[in-house]
Amino acid sequence: MCTDHYAGYPKNEKPEEVNHVVSRRGSSGGPDPVALIEIDLYGDLMIAASSADEDRLSPDRIDEVLKVVRQEAPPE
């Protein structure tokens, strides 16, 4: 398997590298705080799953890892 990203190009002629990213409209271009939180939560789930004895985390264990607080439904 070839890992050279420039394979097939002449030695002195390589494609222009992209060194900028276009941000979403209305975005400042900085880190997305929601995405960072989601990454942290995903990491917490991965750590819990890797240390679990069972093959899958139960829904209750996932809620525990993600610190989900259940609210009781109001009486009808």
Side-chain angles (χ1 to χ4, degrees):
M1 181 168 115
C2 180
T3 58
D4 182 4
H5 300 290
Y6 302 113
Y9 287 93
K11 289 191 182 240
N12 295 333
E13 189 180 322
K14 295 188 178 183
E16 181 180 334
E17 291 187 27
V18 176
N19 57 11
H20 65 281
V21 177
V22 177
S23 63
R24 293 178 295 172
R25 186 180 313 168
S27 169
S28 65
D32 181 350
V34 173
L36 294 176
I37 292 168
E38 289 176 352
I39 291 167
D40 283 342
L41 293 173
Y42 182 75
D44 291 344
L45 285 172
M46 292 298 294
I47 292 168
S50 67
S51 63
D53 293 332
E54 60 273 354
D55 289 339
R56 295 178 181 212
L57 295 177
S58 69
D60 289 337
R61 179 64 179 131
I62 292 171
D63 287 348
E64 179 184 340
V65 170
L66 298 180
K67 299 176 177 82
V68 173
V69 177
R70 300 234 181 251
Q71 295 180 353
E72 291 187 25
E76 294 181 20

